[in-house]
Amino acid sequence: MSKILVVDDSNSIRDMVTFTLESAGYSTEQAADGLLGLNKAKTTAFDLVISDVNMPNMDGISLCQELRKLPAFKFTPILMLTTESSTDMKMRGKAAGATGWLVKPFNPDKLLATIKRVIR
């Protein structure tokens, strides 16, 4: 069973993503911002990270950059799930090491299809 870290400052988004993932058989953990997500990643192995971009304490782009510095997350897929849809932000995410970019509101089927494509 793949383990996924869901990082978002919105309780409702975290809960909706978690429901979607756990209904599909994935194991999940949640973090309410990038800093809390980074701390979880330092103590727990995850097969995938799904992160919002705009969050307090540490944004998703910074989280992605910090995760890529950790040997355990050098090749771990990181999906950005955000309201940001500009090409500039997508390029910043790609430069930070993001594997993919999904725009909210998310389609559960598309989210699961993307996850199946990036998790090996």
Side-chain angles (χ1 to χ4, degrees):
M1 176 187 311
S2 297
K3 190 169 193 170
I4 300 173
L5 175 61
V6 179
V7 185
D8 197 305
D9 60 333
S10 166
N11 288 337
S12 61
I13 293 293
R14 283 195 320 270
D15 288 345
M16 286 190 291
V17 171
T18 295
F19 176 80
T20 299
L21 299 178
E22 291 182 352
S23 295
Y26 294 104
S27 171
T28 65
E29 286 197 27
Q30 297 184 8
D33 63 46
L35 188 57
L36 293 171
L38 181 61
N39 288 336
K40 281 192 179 238
K42 288 180 177 175
T43 60
T44 306
F46 293 99
D47 300 296
L48 170 71
V49 176
I50 298 174
S51 178
D52 188 11
V53 170
N54 298 315
M55 298 181 288
N57 300 320
M58 178 185 285
D59 65 41
I61 300 294
S62 297
L63 171 62
C64 192
Q65 291 170 329
E66 292 302 314
L67 288 174
R68 291 298 185 216
K69 293 177 185 174
L70 302 174
F73 285 88
K74 187 172 181 179
F75 300 110
T76 301
I78 301 172
L79 296 177
M80 307 310 288
L81 180 61
T82 177
T83 57
E84 295 284 349
S85 61
S86 72
T87 300
D88 180 56
M89 284 302 289
K90 290 178 183 177
M91 295 305 290
R92 285 186 58 210
K94 186 174 181 178
T99 308
W101 194 278
L102 298 169
V103 177
K104 297 175 188 172
F106 71 96
N107 174 310
D109 292 335
K110 184 175 180 180
L111 177 62
L112 293 173
T114 302
I115 289 169
K116 286 181 182 175
R117 195 172 60 245
V118 299
I119 287 184
R120 297 182 183 143

